[in-house]
Amino acid sequence: MQTLSLSELSFNPEYTFTSGQTFRWRRISKGVETAWLGVVSGYVVKVTKNEIQSVGSSELRSQSTAFDFCEIFRTYLSFEDDLNAIYGTFPKDKFLFDALKQYKGLRILTQDPWECLVSFVCSINKNIPAIASMIELLSNRFGDKIMSLDRPIHSFPSPSRLAQATKNDLLNCKVGFRWRFVQFIAKQVASGRLDLDSLRNNAYQELRKYLISELSGNTFGVGPKVADCVSLFAYHKREAFPIDVWILRCLKNYYARKMSLGNLLIDRQSLTPRLYNIVHDKAFRYFGHYCGYAQQYLYMKIRADTIRNTMRV
DNA sequence: TCCCAGGTCCTAC
DNA sequence: GTAGGACCTGGG
C-alpha cells in the first residue's frame, strides 16, 4: 500500500475539498477522524489530515512505484506552497484576516487540466451539488472502473472516450445545454488540436488569452471566469482571480473603497468582459501575486456568511 | 411549485 | 462596448 505523509503540511482536507475547486471528493467516516475518498490520476485515494493512502489503482498505475505516487500527490496538493508565507503577503484587512483564520489549511490544488476544464465548463449556471452529480455520471458512464475498498469507483473519462459520446449520451448525464461545449472540447483534445499539457509553461495572461480565444472564440463555453478557474486550479497560476457571483458580492460589500472600485459595481449582478478585466486588474493590485489564494478564502467566507444570514431570516 | 445556480453566447442597439 | 434574454435541469 502506498502512503504519503502529510503531517508536515498545513492542510485541511475539508476546506480544500469543499471549496468548489474540485467536485469528486466524498466524505467517508472513519472512527473519530473524518477521511475523504477521491480519484486522482488513476488512483483511488483515502485522505486524512495527516496522510494520503492508495486504496485502489487503474491498470496504468498498478505497476507504478511509491516514488511516483508521492510525486503525483506532492504536485496535486501543491506541496511547494508555504501557506503562512502566502498569508503574509496579503494586505491587512479584517474580512480577509477572518477568512484566513477561519479556513486555515485550505490549499489550492494542482489538478489535471483536462478534468478541470471539463468540470468548470459543466459548472456554468449550476450549483455545486449539481456539478458534482454531472461529473459523477460522466465518470460512471465513460470512465475506467477501479476496484477499491468494497465497491468500484470510476476515473474521470479520457478525452478520446468522451469525444465518442453522442448528444444523447451527454444529455443522459444531465449535462444539459453544455453538451456542445463538452463534446467540442473533448474532440479538440482527443485529436491533438488542443494540447493542454503544452500550456503549462505559458505565463498566466498568455494562458488565459489562449483558453478564451481558442475555445470561446468558437463559442464553446470558456469565458473569463472558466479560464481563470482552470488557470488557478489546474495550471496553478496563483495570480488568477476568478470572479463569480459570490466574489462579486464580496467585492461590492467589502472592497469597493479598498480596491478603488468607485461606482463600477453599483447595481451590477454580472460583469461584461471589459469590466471583468478591470476588476481583475484591481484585485491583483490590491491582493498581490497570490490573489488566487485570497479569492478562494473570500469565496468560502462570503458563502458561509450569506447562507448563515439567510437561515437567520 | 418556484427560483436560482462558481456563466456564456447571441442579438440588437 | 453593453444590456438583456435564453439556455437544460437539478437542488433547495
Side-chain angles (χ1 to χ4, degrees):
Chain A
M1 184 175 294
Q2 304 185 91
T3 302
L4 171 65
S5 170
L6 306 176
S7 55
E8 301 298 309
L9 197 68
S10 173
F11 172 53
N12 183 306
E14 169 154 7
Y15 300 151
T16 302
F17 296 150
T18 63
S19 62
Q21 56 176 319
T22 169
F23 305 99
R24 291 218 66 197
W25 289 93
R26 300 288 175 271
R27 192 197 308 265
I28 54 171
S29 62
K30 184 199 129 201
V32 285
E33 190 178 19
T34 301
W36 295 80
L37 197 66
V39 195
V40 178
S41 298
Y43 287 103
V44 179
V45 285
K46 192 167 82 177
V47 175
T48 62
K49 191 175 184 310
N50 293 318
E51 67 176 27
I52 183 163
Q53 197 176 70
S54 167
V55 292
S57 58
S58 64
E59 278 181 37
L60 173 74
R61 293 297 182 196
S62 59
Q63 301 301 319
S64 69
T65 65
F67 177 79
D68 296 333
F69 178 81
C70 291
E71 281 308 296
I72 286 170
F73 287 96
R74 279 176 180 279
T75 302
Y76 183 74
L77 293 173
S78 309
F79 256 56
E80 79 280 14
D81 284 353
D82 177 345
L83 292 193
N84 285 326
I86 290 171
Y87 298 162
T89 67
F90 292 140
K92 309 291 175 238
D93 80 63
K94 180 162 167 35
F95 192 79
L96 180 58
F97 178 82
D98 288 348
L100 296 176
K101 201 165 98 180
Q102 205 168 336
Y103 297 105
K104 188 171 163 52
L106 191 175
R107 304 188 71 81
I108 299 224
L109 301 168
T110 304
Q111 302 177 63
D112 169 40
W114 156 246
E115 178 171 344
C116 191
L117 177 58
V118 174
S119 298
F120 279 95
V121 162
C122 287
S123 80
I124 297 171
N125 217 226
K126 275 288 176 192
N127 55 31
I128 291 178
I131 302 163
S133 164
M134 275 189 236
I135 307 296
E136 184 84 6
L137 286 167
L138 286 173
S139 300
N140 290 347
R141 176 78 174 75
F142 301 106
D144 294 329
K145 189 196 274 187
I146 304 173
M147 282 315 292
S148 158
L149 301 177
D150 55 344
R151 62 198 169 108
I153 293 186
H154 292 81
S155 65
F156 190 79
S158 66
S160 56
R161 190 71 190 81
L162 208 50
Q164 292 165 13
T166 65
K167 174 184 175 182
N168 275 339
D169 289 337
L170 295 170
L171 290 179
N172 286 337
C173 295
K174 302 177 185 173
V175 169
F177 66 85
R178 304 160 198 78
W179 75 268
R180 290 171 191 277
F181 306 156
V182 172
Q183 192 181 62
F184 174 79
I185 292 168
K187 284 183 174 170
Q188 291 289 320
V189 176
S191 68
R193 283 191 290 274
L194 175 61
D195 181 358
L196 293 171
D197 284 328
S198 72
L199 302 176
R200 285 183 200 282
N201 295 327
N202 287 22
Y204 162 59
Q205 287 296 352
E206 206 179 332
L207 168 67
R208 182 170 181 276
K209 198 183 293 178
Y210 182 85
L211 288 174
I212 295 173
S213 63
E214 286 300 303
L215 297 170
S216 178
N218 291 306
T219 66
F220 279 101
V222 182
K225 157 67 171 55
V226 170
D228 268 335
C229 286
V230 176
S231 299
L232 181 60
F233 303 135
Y235 292 100
H236 211 56
K237 304 298 182 190
R238 295 162 296 189
E239 61 271 49
F241 189 87
I243 306 169
D244 63 4
V245 288
W246 294 100
I247 290 297
L248 188 58
R249 192 174 300 161
C250 175
L251 298 182
K252 277 160 76 169
N253 291 348
Y254 299 98
Y255 291 95
R257 183 171 288 182
K258 292 191 184 83
M259 281 171 51
S260 310
L261 291 168
N263 295 329
L264 273 181
L265 303 183
I266 302 264
D267 294 333
R268 284 212 158 265
Q269 308 303 319
S270 63
L271 298 176
T272 64
R274 190 183 71 91
L275 207 48
Y276 187 103
N277 289 338
I278 292 172
V279 176
H280 187 289
D281 192 45
K282 285 177 179 286
F284 178 78
R285 270 187 257 161
Y286 180 74
F287 293 108
H289 181 75
Y290 297 103
C291 58
Y293 261 98
Q295 184 272 358
Q296 203 60 7
Y297 284 79
L298 296 176
Y299 172 77
M300 288 293 273
K301 182 162 171 57
I302 192 75
R303 274 184 70 206
D305 288 0
T306 306
I307 291 163
R308 196 179 306 126
N309 289 337
T310 310
M311 287 173 76
R312 198 177 291 154
V313 173

